[in-house]
Amino acid sequence: MRRAPAPGLLLPPPSPLLLLLGLLMLDRGCTAQYSSDLCSWKGSGLTHESHKKDVEQVYLRCSEGSIEWMYPTGALIVNLRPNVVTSSSKHWTVCIKPFKDSAGANIYLEKTGELKLLIQDGDHNPTRVRCFSFDQGGLFVEATPQQDISRKITGFQYELINKGTASDLHMISAPCRPCSDTEVLLAVCTSDFVVRGTIQNVINKEEEQDSIIEVSANRIYRQKTKNFKPAEENGNWHGPIKTLLQCGVKPGEGEFLFTGRMHFGEARLGCAPRFKDFQRMYKEAKDKGMNPCEIGPD
C-alpha cells in the first residue's frame, strides 16, 4: 500500500540555523513529504500558508537527478542516498549545479546543526558547480524573503560520484595531473567514454573557465551517451570534451586515448594518454596478467 505524504512541520520564522536545529530535534518520519520519483523532486511553496514556514524532507535514492522548487517558501532538507551497495559514504562526492535561472533560495551544506553557504540566491555564475564529500553533510535549501515569488523557481541538478574509482578520483582531486599507468588502465574499464582519436581544435571559454576539446575519433570503445556522432565527410566520429581552462590543453599532433565521465550532460576529460603509450602499458599489463579488463589496443 502506498503511503500518503505526511503534512509539513509548521514553524515560526526563526534564523536558518534555529530552524534547522528545531527540525532535527523532532522525529523526521512525521515531517516527511515523499516524492513519487526517487531520482527527482518537484514541489511548490503555494501549498504553504503565507504567514508560516514549512520545512519539508525530500528523500532521493538515485546517483543523479534534480530538484525543482516553484514559488519557494520555508525550507527543504534534501536527503541524498545512492541506491547502490557501498562500504562507506566517504567514497562518495556530491556535486550540484543550479539551473541557469534558479532564484528564490540559498543552498547550504548542513552537518550537526552547522550551516555552510554553498550557493547564494542571485549568484548567476555559469560555473556554479559545487562539490563536497558525502560525509560532510546534507543539503539545506532555504527560501529568501521575497516581495513577489510568482516568478521564482529554485532548481538544481545533482550527481553522486564514486571516489573509489581511479577515473573519478582523478577528475575530482587533480584533473590536470597526468595519469599513472594504473590509473589509465582502470579508467579504460570504468569511464563513461573511451575513444581513440586526434585533437582537431581547442576552444577556450574564459567566462566558464573551461576548454572545449574538439575530437575526431576513429575508434569508439565505449560511450554512455551519444556524445560522439558519425561525420559523413571521413567516416570518423566527432564530439566535444570539456576540461578545466587551467589545464592549458593545446592542439597537438598524434593520436590519444580519451577517457572520462559524463558530468551534468557534458563529457569531462579524465585520463588521456598518447595512444602509443597506452599500447605499451596495456601490453605490459597483459603480459603480467594484471589487466583490470580486456580491451583491444589496436
Side-chain angles (χ1 to χ4, degrees), residues 33 41-48 54-56 58 66-78 99 102-107 140-144 149 151-156:
Q33 178 169 337
W41 179 90
K42 289 184 178 181
S44 171
L46 294 181
T47 59
H48 304 168
D54 283 2
V55 178
E56 296 186 16
V58 176
S66 64
I67 291 284
E68 187 173 345
W69 193 19
M70 298 177 289
Y71 320 115
T73 59
L76 301 176
I77 291 180
V78 182
F99 295 162
S102 178
N106 293 324
I107 302 175
F140 180 68
V141 187
E142 187 191 40
T144 54
I149 66 170
R151 296 182 180 274
K152 304 295 183 182
I153 298 178
T154 298
F156 59 88

Side-chain angles (χ1 to χ4, degrees), residues 118 150 267 298:
L118 288 179
S150 61
D298 298 326

